[in-house]
Amino acid sequence: MTVESTDANLRRPPLPQREESRLRHDWTLAEAMELYRAPLNDLLFLAHRLHRSYFEPNEVQLARLLSIKTGGCPEDCGYCSQSAHHKTGVKATKLAEVETVLREARKAKEAGATRYCMGAAWRNPKARDMDAVVAMIKGVREMGMETCVTLGMLTAHDAARLKEAGLDYYNHNIDTSPRYYRDVITTRTFADRLDTLSTVREAGINVCCGGIVGMGETAEDRADMLVTLANLPDHPESVPINMLIAVPGTPLAGAAPLDPIDFVRTAALARIMMPASTVRIAAGRKGMSTELQALCFFAGVNSIFVGETLLTAGNPEEQSDAALFARLGLTAAAAAPARRHGRA
């Protein structure tokens, strides 16, 4: 590092202090980018202070994700191995049997998971499949785990059925910024994504919504994705941050890997802008170093997906995660991450 670059950093204006307890819904892209581009130590310090004010800092929730219906999806999402538009070798399957799903859920609970997520490769669920999905949700809830499903776009009727079944969370990611969205997906609009989130909210179901980074987007796109989420009427209770897994056969197979520090910056920005939300590392963790994951936990990530498979992608083995937690002094949360000081 040159003397000039050090002096330039010292002349930077102070990082905005956003650690006040109120939750904001009026973020601007300029504010988000000022935070994103701040010296990393300052960004992490602010994110970690906020994390400690809302959550127990050394507890991480373990979630398990199961594909209940794989492949054959009519959407053309450029990152997805399950799209019927791409030749990835993933074969389409029928909806899994209810008891098969519940058997896997029992295994997940025995391994320490407190949240069970079920994903179906659909544009939207069909009426003939809803009875089985409802039975899966009820069965998992009876085991005492949080439930989350991702089934594509929802009608108000579908959402009401899921609410009646006791669904805790509905996952529907916006994926990226409004500007970059059309470069990744053409079969569903960004507005469609927001409409589904609104439908889920109106049904009284918690929202799980985040995105994917490393798809060739700019830093501004990553920040703008989080601005969109933070400026919703209510922050998503769960914000998964996915690192692109460049799957051969997909349009994004040749995407350049994202700088790991940019992933940390994204996670920290999510924590600052949505301080009471659970921030999760989802896809791509298998390729992350211990050091990168440690920085993410310090930045405010407090949930990960465990198990050797995430839908169709690989994930770290359980022994690897146990060793990671031991090295970092982390413990698996006994339930959903508990907010501190009664903040919401």
Side-chain angles (χ1 to χ4, degrees):
M1 179 182 292
T2 64
V3 173
E4 289 75 19
S5 65
T6 302
D7 289 345
N9 283 335
L10 291 174
R11 288 196 299 270
R12 290 176 185 263
L15 191 65
Q17 295 301 298
R18 300 299 183 193
E19 63 265 42
E20 64 268 25
S21 61
R22 70 184 181 91
L23 304 184
R24 295 183 55 197
H25 302 269
D26 59 352
W27 288 91
T28 67
L29 180 57
E31 285 180 299
M33 284 307 301
E34 183 178 4
L35 288 165
Y36 186 94
R37 289 173 171 159
L40 184 64
N41 285 343
D42 293 347
L43 178 64
L44 292 182
F45 178 70
L46 178 54
H48 188 70
R49 284 183 62 182
L50 273 168
H51 183 51
R52 279 184 174 268
S53 70
Y54 282 87
F55 295 97
E56 295 299 332
N58 296 307
E59 287 189 357
V60 178
Q61 185 189 38
L62 306 184
R64 186 70 73 96
L65 175 62
L66 178 72
S67 177
I68 60 174
K69 193 282 173 190
T70 304
C73 182
E75 304 284 12
D76 68 350
C77 306
Y79 52 80
C80 187
S81 64
Q82 301 192 65
S83 171
H85 295 260
H86 315 322
K87 296 180 179 180
T88 62
V90 173
K91 295 182 179 180
T93 67
K94 295 180 179 180
L95 181 64
E97 296 292 332
V98 173
E99 188 49 46
T100 299
V101 173
L102 297 185
R103 184 169 58 250
E104 292 301 313
R106 291 186 196 101
K107 294 178 183 177
K109 183 177 181 180
E110 291 170 0
T114 61
R115 177 184 176 90
Y116 201 68
C117 307
M118 296 162 276
W122 290 326
R123 177 177 171 83
N124 53 273
K126 295 180 174 60
R128 66 173 182 264
D129 296 315
M130 287 298 288
D131 285 347
V133 172
V134 164
M136 294 172 191
I137 293 167
K138 289 182 176 180
V140 174
R141 288 201 88 233
E142 287 173 359
M143 297 177 199
M145 287 192 288
E146 280 186 358
T147 53
C148 180
V149 298
T150 178
L151 313 172
M153 295 186 290
L154 290 182
T155 64
H157 177 72
D158 291 334
R161 287 208 65 189
L162 296 175
K163 173 63 176 178
E164 184 180 3
L167 181 68
D168 296 299
Y169 289 83
Y170 192 82
N171 169 256
H172 198 67
N173 293 335
I174 59 172
D175 289 344
T176 188
S177 69
R179 183 201 70 83
Y180 195 62
Y181 185 88
R182 294 292 293 179
D183 289 354
V184 179
I185 303 160
T186 67
T187 52
R188 188 184 342 183
T189 67
F190 196 82
D192 288 334
R193 302 267 180 177
L194 297 180
D195 286 345
T196 294
L197 295 180
S198 178
T199 298
V200 170
R201 275 283 180 228
E202 290 172 4
I205 301 170
N206 292 319
V207 169
C208 175
C209 185
I212 306 170
V213 297
M215 298 192 294
E217 77 285 344
T218 64
E220 285 78 6
D221 289 316
R222 291 189 283 278
D224 201 21
M225 174 184 74
L226 296 177
V227 167
T228 300
L229 295 177
N231 286 350
L232 291 171
D234 296 288
H235 293 167
E237 286 80 4
S238 168
V239 182
I241 307 296
N242 298 270
M243 179 81 86
L244 175 71
I245 299 174
V247 178
T250 63
L252 292 175
L258 183 71
D259 183 334
I261 295 300
D262 284 328
F263 188 88
V264 175
R265 288 183 179 278
T266 304
L269 188 59
R271 171 54 66 215
I272 293 167
M273 296 173 70
M274 293 169 280
S277 301
T278 297
V279 178
R280 309 178 187 277
I281 301 180
R285 198 166 61 84
K286 187 173 183 178
M288 296 181 186
S289 68
T290 296
E291 294 77 12
L292 171 55
Q293 293 181 70
L295 282 174
C296 287
F297 292 131
F298 187 80
V301 166
N302 58 342
S303 182
I304 59 172
F305 283 98
V306 294
E308 295 182 8
T309 304
L310 292 180
L311 296 180
T312 62
N315 200 47
E317 296 180 353
E318 291 181 13
Q319 299 93 323
S320 175
D321 283 334
L324 172 68
F325 274 41
R327 287 185 68 189
L328 301 182
L330 301 175
T331 59
R339 295 184 175 90
R340 302 176 70 179
H341 311 311
R343 293 177 174 176

